[in-house]
Each structure stands twice: as C-alpha cells, then as structure tokens.
Amino acid sequence: MALRQIRTLGDPVLEKKCREVKEMTPRLKELVDDMLETMYQAEGVGLAAPQVGVLRRIVVIDVGEGPIVMVNPQIVEQSGEQCGQEGCLSVPGQAGEVTRPNYVKAQALDVNMQPFEVEGTELLARAICHELDHLEGIMYVTKVNGDLYNVEDAPEEEEETETEAEKEEN
Ligand code: ZN
C-alpha cells in the first residue's frame, strides 16, 4: 500500500468523466487499498479515484462506520433534503453549504465485483452523492449555496472550542 497524491481544484483530471470498471485487476485492487490509506491519512470521509488521478468509477467512503468500497456505483433511490457543510480533500481548508438528498440508496460492486446495496441518511447520503459526483467530473464547489469559506471561520468550530473550555472548567 502507498499514499497517493491528492489532486486539487484546478487539476483538469477532476473535471473528467470516469470509465466503468469491467474487470477487477491486481492493479485496481492496489488502487483501492491506496485510496483507503490516502483517505484515512488525510482524515477524509470519502475519496474518489479521479482525486488520485485515475479516471475509473471507484469510490471509498468511511463516515465512521467502517470502509465502504464502491465500484461502478449508481444511485437508485433518493428522497428528502438536507442542507449542510461540505468539504473535499481536493479543496483543502475550505467548505461550503450544499443541498443534498437526506436519504440515498446506491447499488455498486464490491472489490470482488459482487453486487451490493448501500442505504444512507445524513452524512452517509451526503458522502455518497459527493463521491459519485466526482465520477462525473462534478466538483461540489459548483453546487455551493453562497460562497466557499475557510474552515477555520466555520461557526461550528468556535462552538466546539467553547464546549471544550467549559469541560476544562468543570
Ligand atoms: Zn470531494
């Protein structure tokens, strides 16, 4: 396993459509392992193959419930709406408000090319939508309501700091 370099906004590879995986090869399995390692090292909740420069339909996601590897994923059902903060490892230090469905069901193949389904709400639904967009060459920055902001300026972080300070007092 090895860390791969994460491409950042402006790199044309991020705006290209990815090709379907027809056969799982040792090379693609290695890519999946490297993508997981790269995602965990960067403390992200998801990573798509084009973010490491490979135009294949593969994403990895972990919202804290274990790794999900999706090959040739497709959203087959979605409902509801959520609006919340979104970021991307290819847009370091920034975030923006994006509206997404609150529930998503997706079908994909696993690393052994066996079909499976994933259902998710909230963060998992958001992560699935975000990562699948990458496979179409769509960056979340094109879907932001309002402006991107620096993550350090986000109100949530200030609240967390206050809570930690309160804990220390007690
Ligand atoms: Zn992203």
Side-chain angles (χ1 to χ4, degrees):
M1 292 209 287
L3 291 176
R4 305 237 179 169
Q5 194 202 334
I6 299 177
R7 309 299 184 91
T8 53
L9 190 63
D11 189 319
V13 79
L14 293 171
E15 288 173 15
K16 290 188 174 143
K17 211 176 148 153
C18 295
R19 283 185 300 133
E20 205 177 305
V21 176
K22 294 218 165 76
E23 190 192 353
M24 183 51 63
T25 60
R27 208 181 146 96
L28 287 176
K29 279 195 175 166
E30 194 184 327
L31 169 69
V32 169
D33 287 343
D34 289 354
M35 284 172 64
L36 284 165
E37 195 182 349
T38 304
M39 173 181 75
Y40 289 126
Q41 200 269 342
E43 296 180 358
V45 298
L47 190 70
Q51 291 182 275
V52 293
V54 180
L55 290 170
R56 303 306 292 262
R57 303 188 79 81
I58 300 175
V59 308
V60 297
I61 291 173
D62 190 341
V63 295
E65 297 163 2
I68 303 171
V69 176
M70 302 176 90
V71 176
N72 300 338
Q74 272 188 315
I75 290 173
V76 292
E77 233 180 280
Q78 61 179 61
S79 64
E81 198 178 279
Q82 57 171 320
C83 183
Q85 181 179 312
E86 201 161 311
C88 178
L89 293 177
S90 293
V91 192
Q94 296 204 291
E97 300 291 315
V98 183
T99 304
R100 299 284 189 185
N102 197 47
Y103 164 83
V104 163
K105 186 201 268 186
Q107 288 175 346
L109 302 175
D110 66 17
V111 80
N112 298 310
M113 299 298 270
Q114 296 303 307
F116 72 103
E117 277 188 352
V118 183
E119 277 183 299
T121 58
E122 297 170 24
L123 180 58
L124 181 54
R126 176 176 295 282
I128 292 170
C129 294
H130 177 111
E131 299 311 328
L132 268 60
D133 273 355
H134 274 300
L135 304 182
E136 302 301 322
I138 299 168
M139 294 290 287
Y140 88 97
V141 297
T142 64
K143 296 189 164 180
V144 166
N145 313 320
D147 295 322
L148 283 179
Y149 46 81
N150 293 327
V151 184
E152 304 85 73
D153 299 340
E156 281 97 333
E157 299 230 340
E158 281 166 30
E159 278 166 30
E160 274 173 29
T161 312
E162 269 175 22
T163 314
E164 273 171 29
E166 279 167 26
K167 271 186 204 158
E168 274 172 31
E169 276 174 28
N170 300 333

